Amino acid sequence: MPLTTTQSRPVQLPTLVLCLVAAAVIWLLNALNKNNYTVSVQYPIEFVYNQKLYVPTSPLPKTITVSITGNGWKLFRKSWLPFRSQPIRYPVPHPLETRFINTTSLAAALTDHAKDVRVNFIAGDTLALNFDRLAVQEAPIVIDSAGIDLADRMVVSSFINVSPRSIRFEGPARLLRAMPDTIKVKIPARRLALSYDEELRLPIPRHPLIRASADQVAVSFEVAELLQPLPLPPAPQPEKPVKTTKAAKPKKSVKGKSSRKK
């Protein structure tokens, strides 16, 4: 009687992968249905202050780290999609006097804002606030006409046009105190023999918190050849000594003695 051998059926890899994925999904769904999970999430925050009067001197945090407890599905949504939530609005009524975020009031606002979870605490990183008064300063733009390098027998034959004639700075008052009162622009061209019309970069300090109304200036003027030398100014004449005349002394009037007839 012939012996028969049973051959083992090969394992189908795609079927095994699908089984593992299905098991993982079922486990995840069961886990997310449970309550009392605690996670730390990044929650968006928006600071409310008078932007026409004050400016932050250090970057304001866009998110805060919050420890929350709640249902697995709700925590999953807030952990993976935090920026689809409406940001919490944090008012700063007195920016110059506020140095830190009040975590107690912020936690209370978060509790009212996110009612589907329980807020445990707010992490203590990036909680410092720095504000300064928003100031405006204007500085005129002048051209270093004495430093224009002209070719031989060439002179500036027109008015030097400058546009704009002044620049406006806006930023923290403390930083604006270090800005120059006048912006002096030098003409970089050498041995000029033709009319000049260029846009030059303004030599101003650059700072991320200071906004300038312009970063370039347009400068134009005419250059012409000097056909005859300029007349020399007249030499100063030596001053002549002024003769002083002595005032004549008034003559004393002699009173005659009147003779009386006897």
Side-chain angles (χ1 to χ4, degrees):
M1 187 173 181
L3 298 175
T4 59
T5 59
T6 59
Q7 296 180 354
S8 60
R9 299 178 63 181
V11 178
Q12 299 293 331
L13 184 59
T15 304
L16 179 60
V17 172
L18 289 176
C19 292
L20 292 176
V21 171
V25 170
I26 294 172
W27 176 84
L28 180 61
L29 293 177
N30 289 331
L32 291 177
N33 284 327
K34 297 180 181 180
N35 295 322
N36 296 327
Y37 282 104
T38 299
V39 295
S40 294
V41 297
Q42 296 293 321
Y43 207 91
I45 184 172
E46 178 185 354
F47 294 89
V48 182
Y49 60 95
N50 192 336
Q51 299 185 12
K52 295 182 179 179
L53 297 179
Y54 305 100
V55 58
T57 57
S58 59
L60 295 176
K62 297 181 179 180
T63 61
I64 53 174
T65 304
V66 184
S67 173
I68 56 177
T69 300
N71 179 267
W73 281 109
K74 297 175 181 179
L75 296 182
F76 178 79
R77 185 176 67 252
K78 293 185 178 297
S79 299
W80 290 91
L81 304 173
F83 294 103
R84 292 191 180 181
S85 303
Q86 290 293 330
I88 182 68
R89 293 170 62 87
Y90 183 78
V92 186
H94 306 289
L96 297 182
E97 302 171 5
T98 305
R99 292 290 178 262
F100 298 96
I101 298 176
N102 190 331
T103 57
T104 303
S105 62
L106 183 57
L110 274 172
T111 302
D112 296 336
H113 188 76
K115 297 181 179 180
D116 52 350
V117 295
R118 185 175 75 250
V119 177
N120 300 320
F121 60 88
I122 299 174
D125 54 346
T126 66
L127 298 180
L129 298 177
N130 295 289
F131 285 89
D132 196 0
R133 193 173 299 278
L134 182 63
V136 175
Q137 179 176 313
E138 200 163 316
I141 301 175
V142 298
I143 304 300
D144 183 14
S145 57
I148 299 177
D149 189 6
L150 298 169
D152 294 338
R153 300 183 59 82
M154 292 294 178
V155 293
V156 176
S157 60
S158 70
F159 182 75
I160 300 179
N161 300 302
V162 181
S163 180
R165 303 197 64 84
S166 63
I167 184 172
R168 184 172 179 269
F169 299 106
E170 182 178 318
R174 178 177 53 84
L175 296 178
L176 288 187
R177 297 190 193 103
M179 300 301 290
D181 297 333
T182 302
I183 310 300
K184 194 171 185 179
V185 179
K186 295 184 177 181
I187 305 299
R190 293 289 179 265
R191 309 296 294 170
L192 270 176
L194 300 174
S195 299
Y196 189 82
D197 188 359
E198 296 289 343
E199 287 191 355
L200 304 176
R201 187 174 177 84
L202 288 172
I204 56 177
R206 312 287 172 173
H207 196 282
L209 295 179
I210 295 179
R211 295 191 299 268
S213 59
D215 59 355
Q216 290 186 332
V217 60
V219 182
S220 62
F221 54 87
E222 301 291 332
V223 175
E225 184 178 1
L226 183 64
L227 299 180
Q228 57 183 1
L230 294 174
L232 297 176
Q237 298 293 332
E239 296 182 359
K240 295 181 179 180
V242 179
K243 294 181 179 180
T244 58
T245 57
K246 295 182 179 180
K249 295 181 179 180
K251 295 181 180 180
K252 295 181 180 179
S253 59
V254 179
K255 296 181 180 180
K257 295 180 180 180
S258 57
S259 57
R260 296 180 181 179
K261 294 181 180 180
K262 295 181 180 180

